Amino acid sequence: MLRLIARRLLVGLLVLFVVSLLVFGASLLLPGDAAQAILGRTASPDRLAVLREQLHLDQPGYQRYLSWLGDLFTGSLGDSLANGQPVAELVGQRTANSAVLLLCSAVIATPLSIIAGTWSALRRGRAVDNVVSTGTLVLAALPEFVIGILLILFFSTTVLHWFPAVALVDENRSLFAQSAVLVLPTLTLVLAVSPYITRMMRATMLEVLDSEFVQQARLKGLPERVVLVRHALPNAIGPVAQVIALQLAWLAGGVVIVEYLFRFPGIGQGLVDAVTNRDLPTLQALVMLIAFVYVLCNLLADVVSILSNPRLRTAR
Amino acid sequence: MLRGAAAGVLGLSAVPLLTSCGTQPPAARGNPTGPPRRGGVLRVGTAGGGSSDSLDVHNPITHPDICRGLNLYEPLLYRKRDYTLESCVAESVEVSKDGLSWVIRIRDGILFHNGKPVRPEDVIYTYRRVTDPKKPQAAANLLSSVDRDGFSKIDDRTLRIKLKAPDVSIHDVFADYRIGIVPEGYDPKKPIGTGPFTFVNFTPGQESTFARFSDYWREGQPYVDELRIINFTDDSARTNALLAGQVEAIESLPYAEVRVIEADPTLRVLKSRTGNWNPFTMRVDVEPLRDVRVRQALRLSIDREEMVNQVLSGHGRIANDMYSPFDDSYAADLPQRTYDPDEAKSLLKAAGHENLQIELVTSPVSQGIVEAAQVMQQQARSAGIGIKLNRVDTGVFYGDDYLKWHFAQDFWGTWPYLVQSALGSQPSSPFNECHWVDPTYLDLVGKAKQTVDDDKRSRLLEQAQEIEYERGGYIVWGFLDLVDAYSRRITGLKPSEKGIFPLDAYRFREVWFV
């Protein structure tokens, strides 16, 4: 079991290394460089040359990658090409903001979907089940930015004026102190990921409820609540954990569009900005971070499914 | 002395034009009257920008940069709403008879944000910083006639600027927003100017906070206590922020939203005419555009009225292949070029390019650019011209082929003629995208630059414009209106007949809360 986790960790590190190579290579393929992106239409040859030298863009690509990698081992993420500030500082604040957003979404979406899915399964074929099934299907079919736009229209600009339409975050105060800006982005993300978890939960729950050991438990005369909590749920949660992990990993990347829509100062917005500015160090840091979350979520999902499955738990 | 003094007499405007002295509020319809009130936090949504945003007044790139610069700093002279110049940091500027030196007198009692008075040394430092050959700033090439080593201090409030050759356009350059006066030893990270607002806080790509400068030289201004300038890269986020009451004003309202905002009783739309232009650029040194008949044919295959209607939703005026419409010398008498596919066809036939096929490089570098390319593609069909659109992203557009595209597009602001010509229509220009090198034209512009007499200079420039009209590389189909929006909680922003920048040229020092 520990050996399995160790092996997974090593593979994860390898994946991160490959990702860093790919991102660097891909960004070199992007037309234009940071100097051109920064100067835009004011990029006259003499000003370009001065800026390129300042940003070390005159060095060959592999040399810049190696110095980036070298810096990484000394714990430095380098300086942003866009404004010269340390990347760690720029990315740090954004990461914290996004983490808050993701955490809120995950903490709400996960139990909500598990409860909705279970409830729907228990009421199989009845009105509640139909409503949940249709509702999740509709939500799953809507892209998250459509959900976001509808929420903005309804809750902030046209019908009601309850929540801010865009997140104008005051960096000097804690995000929780200005929690109103979190409401609509969180709600959008919750509505975007819940349908998948709910539907998966319902499907596995139905399967488990139909299985022989649940029938056996019921025949033994156990109360329905005990059957559900002690026997059905633990067996249903394994496959669902995978879906939850996948959805959380998706959140880390999918947050880009939602952040753009709400002008939320998180990693998504930072990523768009870094690509536009060809700001390689910032781009690398952000992509690595997202890749890291992916690897971590998958690892956790594996661990949970192993723990919930005795056959895997004892396997060598 | 001040050029363009006659412009105010033209009486073009249906809207009252005010001088910048804002003690008397406008009596425009629906605007509250009464003396301006102090206080409040003004939040403004600007378009574009990103983490490469800068507070360096001498190197603004995006609209948020310009907006910040205009509120923190001030140049020697200031361009008013009627496009004439007024004194600002300089109380007066006077040119010598031979046109080779300018004497600048600094306004009495004008202070920097750090409480120190503006000295001749600061002005000299500013101009030497902009023209530093090791790190030329954005306006450096407009100061090419200035002798970098020829500055001299006359007394505590006066200095002399020497020129290598007479250059009347310097007078306009004194008012260039990219040459704000900064104190000696200026550090953009701790920005200090003489503008109406002082620096408090700045997060690149996000927002900046400025406070009221209590020692500002214009009596009583600014009225608000705090100014927050907020970046919005997304058009709908900006509009949503206004609708949700999170900002008081936004620039560049998407045309599709104009009716929605106009119908809202709590909001107002602010429209200004400008001399901004989004031309098609034809290189005059490559086949087949080298042939003037081909260029004229392309100019004739554009239906300018349709262009304004479709691309700008009617928020603009048609143009006549010439720029700088607010300049006194603008050649308004040349006949308006109209849509004439038949004439275009016969010109192409004569040039041996019947059924011309040509590639147009387009990129969403500014609002409406790609749309203009699409409309032109449609319209040119009637003249038998097949335009193949090559749509590239902005990174590619400004990439290695920038200024080398054969047939492409660009966007320009509102500049005086000589400044615009120096920026884009001369071999020494940093943005000569048409590769326009015409000896007769250069001779005329060169002479005009040295001609102090207004009438004589205007005549020379009219001839120069006629050459561009007859054989130039630009297709100037229209001048754009600026359409912004603001909440009725505030007042003081005024529409302009001769606007330059959005939101009344970001003149937030005249805004107050009702």
Side-chain angles (χ1 to χ4, degrees):
Chain A
M1 168 83 188
L2 277 178
R3 203 193 297 170
L4 189 86
I5 292 175
R7 206 164 61 209
R8 282 294 165 93
L9 269 176
L10 273 179
V11 173
L13 279 178
L14 191 70
V15 166
L16 288 182
F17 173 69
V18 173
V19 166
S20 84
L21 269 180
L22 282 178
V23 173
F24 203 93
S27 62
L28 288 184
L29 289 180
L30 279 178
D33 62 14
Q36 282 167 334
I38 290 169
L39 291 175
R41 83 190 292 298
T42 66
S44 59
D46 49 344
R47 304 186 72 209
L48 263 183
V50 171
L51 191 59
R52 279 198 176 127
E53 203 187 312
Q54 272 177 5
L55 300 176
H56 305 295
L57 294 177
D58 41 356
Q59 295 174 358
Y62 70 92
Q63 205 171 325
R64 280 155 54 204
Y65 179 77
L66 286 179
S67 70
W68 175 80
L69 202 62
D71 279 354
L72 192 67
F73 280 112
T74 61
S76 156
L77 291 170
D79 291 337
S80 157
L81 294 183
N83 53 28
Q85 288 178 14
V87 170
E89 224 171 81
L90 286 175
V91 173
Q93 181 67 42
R94 288 180 177 278
T95 309
N97 290 346
S98 283
V100 169
L101 186 57
L102 294 189
L103 215 66
C104 290
S105 312
V107 165
I108 296 171
T110 314
L112 187 78
S113 329
I114 290 179
I115 292 169
T118 311
W119 193 34
S120 180
L122 291 173
R123 297 272 184 284
R124 183 187 330 187
R126 293 208 234 157
V128 173
D129 184 30
N130 288 335
V131 168
V132 169
S133 296
T134 320
T136 50
L137 205 60
V138 169
L139 281 176
L142 284 177
E144 62 272 24
F145 67 88
V146 174
I147 300 177
I149 289 171
L150 292 177
L151 288 178
I152 291 177
L153 274 177
F154 192 78
F155 286 111
S156 61
T157 58
T158 323
V159 185
L160 304 167
H161 293 275
W162 288 358
F163 304 111
V166 293
L168 303 180
V169 176
D170 179 354
E171 304 232 327
N172 301 316
R173 291 192 299 147
S174 141
L175 200 53
F176 290 107
Q178 13 189 350
S179 52
V181 303
L182 285 169
V183 177
L184 291 185
T186 305
L187 194 55
T188 309
L189 287 175
V190 167
L191 290 178
V193 298
S194 295
Y196 300 97
I197 309 178
T198 308
R199 293 181 73 79
M200 190 67 192
M201 189 67 210
R202 178 180 176 274
T204 42
M205 201 61 184
L206 284 179
E207 208 175 296
V208 172
L209 287 176
D210 286 344
S211 66
E212 286 172 2
F213 69 86
V214 169
Q215 281 181 17
Q216 179 71 27
R218 281 186 178 140
L219 287 175
K220 276 199 316 194
L222 289 177
E224 189 61 23
R225 195 161 45 87
V226 178
V227 174
L228 193 66
V229 176
R230 288 278 304 277
H231 299 274
L233 257 183
N235 283 289
I237 215 83
V240 174
Q242 296 275 2
V243 174
I244 293 174
L246 270 179
Q247 289 301 315
L248 294 187
W250 174 87
L251 272 180
V255 79
V256 172
I257 291 166
V258 174
E259 287 185 359
Y260 190 75
L261 184 67
F262 288 97
R263 197 194 166 278
F264 188 85
I267 50 172
Q269 212 197 45
L271 204 60
V272 173
D273 197 279
V275 173
T276 321
N277 278 321
R278 309 283 190 262
D279 186 355
L280 209 50
T282 311
L283 185 64
Q284 282 278 42
L286 287 171
V287 174
M288 297 295 283
L289 193 76
I290 293 172
F292 176 75
V293 173
Y294 252 96
V295 171
L296 194 73
C297 284
N298 279 307
L299 189 71
L300 286 177
D302 285 350
V303 172
V304 170
S305 25
I306 291 169
L307 288 178
S308 69
N309 187 332
R311 259 173 304 179
L312 285 174
R313 210 181 328 172
T314 49
R316 291 245 134 205
Chain B
M1 184 62 244
L2 297 181
R3 289 176 58 199
V9 195
L10 288 174
L12 290 163
S13 60
V15 188
L17 291 169
L18 293 197
T19 50
S20 57
C21 191
T23 44
Q24 284 294 313
R29 191 162 49 93
N31 255 357
T33 49
R37 295 206 317 195
R38 277 276 297 281
V41 178
L42 176 64
R43 298 162 301 177
V44 178
T46 53
S51 54
S52 57
D53 278 5
S54 139
L55 284 171
D56 191 334
V57 57
H58 300 148
N59 189 23
I61 308 280
T62 61
H63 267 197
D65 286 348
I66 296 171
C67 176
R68 283 186 290 265
L70 281 167
N71 283 286
L72 286 178
Y73 311 91
E74 288 173 324
L76 290 175
L77 301 178
Y78 186 79
R79 203 168 279 288
K80 293 195 290 180
R81 286 194 180 91
D82 61 3
Y83 207 68
T84 59
L85 298 177
E86 69 172 355
S87 62
C88 194
V89 173
E91 185 181 277
S92 69
V93 295
E94 270 171 51
V95 64
S96 64
K97 275 207 179 109
D98 60 3
L100 280 171
S101 74
W102 287 80
V103 172
I104 315 284
R105 183 124 177 100
I106 296 168
R107 177 177 298 280
D108 192 18
I110 187 169
L111 298 178
F112 281 119
H113 298 154
N114 59 8
K116 292 187 181 151
V118 180
R119 305 162 306 152
E121 287 88 342
D122 301 315
V123 177
I124 295 170
Y125 173 84
T126 299
Y127 275 78
R128 285 180 60 87
R129 181 176 191 266
V130 172
T131 53
D132 186 351
K134 280 199 205 103
K135 196 174 188 253
Q137 303 287 344
N141 84 301
L142 298 179
L143 292 169
S144 56
S145 58
V146 169
D147 179 3
R148 269 196 99 230
D149 304 311
F151 294 98
S152 53
K153 176 180 175 176
I154 298 173
D155 63 41
D156 281 350
R157 274 177 55 207
T158 323
L159 71 143
R160 179 176 285 120
I161 296 179
K162 274 217 176 99
L163 303 187
K164 290 179 268 187
D167 180 359
V168 289
S169 73
I170 286 294
H171 192 236
D172 284 318
V173 177
F174 285 149
D176 195 309
Y177 64 96
R178 299 167 304 176
I179 318 182
I181 303 300
V182 294
E184 217 172 344
Y186 168 69
D187 176 6
K189 292 208 172 79
K190 295 174 197 125
I192 289 174
T194 62
F197 291 93
T198 65
F199 173 77
V200 177
N201 215 317
F202 171 54
T203 314
Q206 299 289 332
E207 67 169 81
S208 35
T209 308
F210 300 158
R212 178 178 192 273
F213 179 34
S214 48
D215 287 329
Y216 186 58
W217 60 273
R218 287 181 212 256
E219 210 44 48
Q221 293 184 3
Y223 305 119
V224 298
D225 289 335
E226 194 175 294
L227 171 64
R228 266 189 224 154
I229 297 165
I230 303 160
N231 280 33
F232 285 91
T233 34
D234 184 41
D235 284 347
S236 48
R238 196 166 63 244
T239 316
N240 284 339
L242 180 74
L243 287 168
Q246 292 180 273
V247 294
E248 276 73 37
I250 58 166
E251 70 172 27
S252 307
L253 188 64
Y255 296 136
E257 309 272 358
V258 171
R259 286 191 172 186
V260 181
I261 303 287
E262 271 174 342
D264 192 319
T266 65
L267 303 173
R268 292 174 73 90
V269 172
L270 181 74
K271 281 186 212 168
S272 292
R273 293 189 156 184
T274 74
N276 295 5
W277 49 300
N278 292 357
F280 293 95
T281 59
M282 305 180 285
R283 262 179 68 173
V284 301
D285 60 341
V286 293
E287 287 298 339
L289 296 167
R290 181 201 295 273
D291 193 323
V292 63
R293 289 170 296 192
V294 174
R295 299 203 295 274
Q296 296 305 70
L298 282 164
R299 283 169 156 186
L300 289 167
S301 14
I302 285 192
D303 184 340
R304 292 156 204 254
E305 256 119 38
E306 264 312 294
M307 206 77 167
V308 169
N309 285 336
Q310 293 197 19
V311 178
L312 308 176
S313 302
H315 299 293
R317 289 154 297 144
I318 59 164
N320 201 18
D321 297 324
M322 292 173 296
Y323 42 80
S324 303
F326 301 157
D327 198 285
D328 287 343
S329 64
Y330 182 67
D333 296 339
L334 291 173
Q336 173 63 49
R337 193 159 274 142
T338 51
Y339 187 44
D340 194 344
D342 294 331
E343 176 67 14
K345 260 186 198 165
S346 65
L347 276 171
L348 285 175
K349 198 171 177 185
H353 286 289
E354 226 171 335
N355 298 320
L356 175 74
Q357 301 292 315
I358 192 162
E359 185 185 90
L360 171 62
V361 180
T362 186
S363 178
V365 289
S366 183
Q367 199 178 7
I369 294 277
V370 176
E371 291 78 359
Q374 288 162 343
V375 172
M376 169 153 197
Q377 183 186 35
Q378 291 287 333
Q379 294 178 346
R381 275 191 196 136
S382 312
I385 302 173
I387 294 181
K388 187 176 160 266
L389 289 188
N390 176 13
R391 190 188 160 147
V392 298
D393 93 343
T394 50
V396 178
F397 192 82
Y398 291 128
D400 296 333
D401 284 326
Y402 180 44
L403 304 174
K404 292 185 199 132
W405 303 114
H406 289 190
F407 184 30
Q409 285 165 285
D410 200 357
F411 64 101
W412 281 100
T414 308
W415 298 99
Y417 186 83
L418 278 172
V419 173
Q420 177 66 55
S421 172
L423 285 171
S425 296
Q426 294 167 24
S428 58
S429 301
F431 310 106
N432 187 356
E433 44 212 345
C434 300
H435 294 218
W436 167 246
V437 184
D438 188 295
T440 329
Y441 174 83
L442 286 174
D443 187 48
L444 286 165
V445 174
K447 266 191 205 141
K449 225 174 142 175
Q450 308 197 1
T451 307
V452 182
D453 183 284
D454 287 351
D455 289 338
K456 275 188 198 153
R457 187 176 58 246
S458 277
R459 241 166 288 140
L460 289 167
L461 291 182
E462 275 162 26
Q463 288 174 47
Q465 288 172 74
E466 196 167 346
I467 292 176
E468 288 188 298
Y469 175 81
E470 297 289 350
R471 53 178 191 261
Y474 284 123
I475 305 179
V476 190
W477 53 268
F479 296 115
L480 286 65
D481 290 347
L482 291 171
V483 186
D484 312 308
Y486 63 94
S487 152
R488 284 182 195 255
R489 293 195 300 275
I490 59 165
T491 188
L493 292 170
K494 301 181 193 83
S496 167
E497 284 294 309
K498 297 188 171 186
I500 309 171
F501 294 117
L503 289 170
D504 197 9
Y506 303 121
R507 227 175 302 250
F508 302 130
R509 60 182 161 85
E510 293 187 25
V511 172
W512 79 92
F513 279 82
V514 180

